[in-house]
């Protein structure tokens, strides 16, 4: 059970042999690595499942390998076009998750230099087409952990600036708090060759282009997002997890967030967020145990608007009415006062 989806293992991945699993997408959501938040977002799970299936099927048409096997309906896996109604259960090839050990308070990734096949790569791959307000890039530039030359920039960017060309960023996937990595460190901890990390970057840029093009057609701008990859039983690179959703990507419509960034913006104004931010500065590994407060529920009107946004996005990106929801542009007018 994860903070936003559950994993059902039908056949365990062992050694060099992948397994078979199901993702059960829930209506839960998470922000700031907290885990499950107080509210559930109605039909969020089905929306994310439908959108993920749509993008996996589009990518496989052009030869990008994924772990996707279909969506569950009437006891069997189907392609999106064969579904009678929205499903929240996705079938996939299951890879091993090899967790780094912790030695003297530091993560040890040596296992990735020993194992070669059938595992999740312990990285999140982040693409950036712009630097919206709230982007971690501004904080990292201020702290000095990121330099302008890393972004191919000559002067300090401003919130809302579009990048001349997309950039690829890396962060940890299996640590208690996501940690951004330099290119060389990402390659080192995951045990990737120069050729492999170049391929990760190349495929990520291609997927970014496809998502950007698809959402542009429904009036959205693709600000940034993330991907996860793994190696199959032959060490072929495959795309895993979920993709192109409002949880994995940050989209905007005329500057208005069209993602769970709406919830992030709301929570950044709370005392709970101040506690979380302070705790992470004190102890990056065990920060949750320091936080004494809990996130308050979303205002009911905001929770309902976010639900409708997820549903409308699934309808519009796939070109099929899975849910009864107004057009995206109508819903977004109602969230302005919260952000």
């Amino acid at each position: 059970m994860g903070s936003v989806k559950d994993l059902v293992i039908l056949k365990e991945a062992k050694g060099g042999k992948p397994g078979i699993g199901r993702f059960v997408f829930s209506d839960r959501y998470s922000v700031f690595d907290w885990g499950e938040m107080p509210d559930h977002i109605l039909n969020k799970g089905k929306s994310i499942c439908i959108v993920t299936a749509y993008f996996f099927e589009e990518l496989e048409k052009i030869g990008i390998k994924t772990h996707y096997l279909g969506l569950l309906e009437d006891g069997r896996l189907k392609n999106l076009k064969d579904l009678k109604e929205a499903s929240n259960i996705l079938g996939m090839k299951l890879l091993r998750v090899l967790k780094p050990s912790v030695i003297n308070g530091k993560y040890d990734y040596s296992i990735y230099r020993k194992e070669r096949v059938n595992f999740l790569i312990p990285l999140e791959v982040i693409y950036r087409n712009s630097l919206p307000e709230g982007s971690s890039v501004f904080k990292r530039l201020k702290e000095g952990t990121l330099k302008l030359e890393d972004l191919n920039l000559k002067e300090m960017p401003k919130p809302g600036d579009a990048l001349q060309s997309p950039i690829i960023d890396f962060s940890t996937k299996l640590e208690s708090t996501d940690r951004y990595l330099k290119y060389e460190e990402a390659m080192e901890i995951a045990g990737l060759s120069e050729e492999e990390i170049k391929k990760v970057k190349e495929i990520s840029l291609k997927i970014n282009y496809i998502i950007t093009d698809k959402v542009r057609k429904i009036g959205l701008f693709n600000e940034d997002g993330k991907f996860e990859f793994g190696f199959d039983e032959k060490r072929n690179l495959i795309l895993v997890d979920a993709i192109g959703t409002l949880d994995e990507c940050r989209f905007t419509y005329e500057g208005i967030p069209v993602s769970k960034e709406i919830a992030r913006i709301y929570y950044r104004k709370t005392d709970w967020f101040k506690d979380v931010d302070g705790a992470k500065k004190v102890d990056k590994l065990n920060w949750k145990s320091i936080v004494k407060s809990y996130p308050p529920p979303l205002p009911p009107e905001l929770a309902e608007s976010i639900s409708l946004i997820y549903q409308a996005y699934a309808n519009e990106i796939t070109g099929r009415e899975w849910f009864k929801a107004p057009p995206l542009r109508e819903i977004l007018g109602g969230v302005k006062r919260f952000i």
Side-chain angles (χ1 to χ4, degrees), residues 30 42 47 54 69 80 97 182 194 278-279 325 333:
S30 174
L42 182 66
S47 162
Y54 171 78
L69 297 176
L80 205 56
V97 178
K182 297 286 188 183
E194 186 73 40

Side-chain angles (χ1 to χ4, degrees), residues 15 42 52 88 90 96 124 196 232 248:
L42 182 66
T52 291
N88 71 320
L90 183 144
R96 295 180 298 162
E124 282 194 348
E196 286 169 338
D232 70 7
E248 273 67 36

